[in-house]
């Protein structure tokens, strides 16, 4: 319950510094987000169960290992989560991909779901929810609520940069969800940006501003 894993592999930390640099352009930013996501996917899947399988090498038959158990789905939160999909799929090519889109109601300020398409067998899958920035935690919290409402049970949240406020917000509603991050930054500023952060991940990924 209430677990946060800070993934501090040297390659992740090195690439994260490049991602944070305001002089990193959109092409390199996208490539780095993909690479960090791939490295995070490697760490996040460390505990996947294995089973023995028989394999025939050119020399003889042996018992090898294969991933066993429940299947995976990755669920990017639109739109910045899209930047993490290729990195995850490069290590988990058989994973299904669902999508969740939310907007903030200008009057109530509550997150409203405008799009949610998940694999039909979602209750049987382990879900990896992707959002590169865990800031207020409002979107992640709501996205996880929406996918739980569709039967998802075994959920992990993967964010590249987080802050204490976002982690607390997600865990207050979803203590069962483990959170994997590459960094826990200092705080949120008055505009709900993570400090020091990297700016707006969606804008930097897609060249909008
Ligand atoms: N979303 C971002 O892209 N960046 C932040 O710092 C906070 C939320």
């Amino acid at each position: 319950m209430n677990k946060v894993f800070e993934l501090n592999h040297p390659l992740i930390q090195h690439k994260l510094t490049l991602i944070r640099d305001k002089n990193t352009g959109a092409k390199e930013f996208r490539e780095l987000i993909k690479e960090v996501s791939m490295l995070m996917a490697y760490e996040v899947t460390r505990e996947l169960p294995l089973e023995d399988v028989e394999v025939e090498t050119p020399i003889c038959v042996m018992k090898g290992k294969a991933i066993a158990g429940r299947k995976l789905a990755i669920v990017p939160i639109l739109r910045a989560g899209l930047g993490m999909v290729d990195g995850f799929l490069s290590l988990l090519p058989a994973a299904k991909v669902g999508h969740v889109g939310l907007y903030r109601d200008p009057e109530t300020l509550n997150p409203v779901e405008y799009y949610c398409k998940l694999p039909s067998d979602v209750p049987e899958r382990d879900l990896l929810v992707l959002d590169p920035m865990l800031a207020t935690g409002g979107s992640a919290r709501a996205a996880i609520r929406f996918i739980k409402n569709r039967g998802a049970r075994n959920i992990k949240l993967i964010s590249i940069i987080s802050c204490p406020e976002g982690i607390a917000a997600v865990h207050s509603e979803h203590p069962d969800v483990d959170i994997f991050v590459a960094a826990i930054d200092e705080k949120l500023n008055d505009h709900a940006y993570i400090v020091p952060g990297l700016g707006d991940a969606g804008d930097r990924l897609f060249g909008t501003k």
Side-chain angles (χ1 to χ4, degrees):
M1 288 286 166
N2 275 5
K3 286 204 214 127
V4 182
F5 299 90
E6 201 170 349
L7 307 177
N8 53 12
H9 190 288
L11 286 173
I12 296 180
Q13 296 305 313
H14 176 83
K15 288 175 191 295
L16 185 54
T17 303
L18 300 174
I19 289 175
R20 289 183 189 273
D21 188 336
K22 68 175 187 183
N23 295 314
T24 298
K27 177 175 181 289
E28 200 187 348
F29 186 86
R30 271 195 295 274
E31 288 166 359
L32 286 162
I33 291 279
K34 177 179 172 184
E35 288 166 9
V36 167
S37 301
M38 191 175 70
L39 293 165
M40 291 183 82
Y42 175 78
E43 298 277 12
V44 167
T45 52
R46 211 169 250 292
E47 307 289 327
L48 283 182
L50 292 170
E51 63 185 356
D52 289 335
V53 292
E54 200 173 88
V55 59
E56 190 172 356
T57 78
I59 311 298
C60 66
V61 173
M62 65 166 284
K63 279 221 166 45
K65 299 283 181 195
I67 303 287
R70 288 156 60 90
K71 295 186 212 139
L72 293 170
I74 59 177
V75 183
I77 301 178
L78 301 176
R79 83 187 147 138
L82 292 175
M84 299 176 71
V85 171
D86 284 352
F88 271 75
L89 282 181
S90 60
L91 288 194
L92 304 168
K96 302 265 189 207
V97 185
H99 294 86
V100 181
L102 313 158
Y103 70 90
R104 189 170 290 277
D105 183 298
E107 277 168 22
T108 65
L109 300 183
N110 289 329
V112 181
E113 174 190 315
Y114 68 83
Y115 187 78
C116 186
K117 181 84 183 175
L118 300 174
S120 53
D121 57 353
V122 79
E124 281 96 61
R125 289 183 180 266
D126 290 347
L127 264 67
L128 306 176
V129 175
L130 309 180
D131 192 353
M133 307 300 282
L134 179 55
T136 63
S139 306
R141 226 170 118 146
I144 293 168
R145 190 185 320 134
F146 296 146
I147 61 181
K148 279 185 175 174
N149 287 344
R150 287 169 169 79
R153 283 295 160 261
N154 207 334
I155 301 170
K156 294 180 169 65
L157 172 66
I158 297 101
S159 290
I160 296 179
I161 299 184
S162 67
C163 61
E165 296 91 328
I167 291 169
V170 171
H171 270 158
S172 68
E173 183 172 341
H174 305 292
D176 55 308
V177 171
D178 289 346
I179 302 177
F180 294 78
V181 300
I184 304 175
D185 278 9
E186 193 188 325
K187 60 177 183 185
L188 288 178
N189 69 13
D190 294 342
H191 303 284
Y193 277 94
I194 296 177
V195 180
L198 52 67
D200 189 302
D203 282 345
R204 293 192 65 185
L205 274 167
F206 299 112
T208 47
K209 211 162 183 187

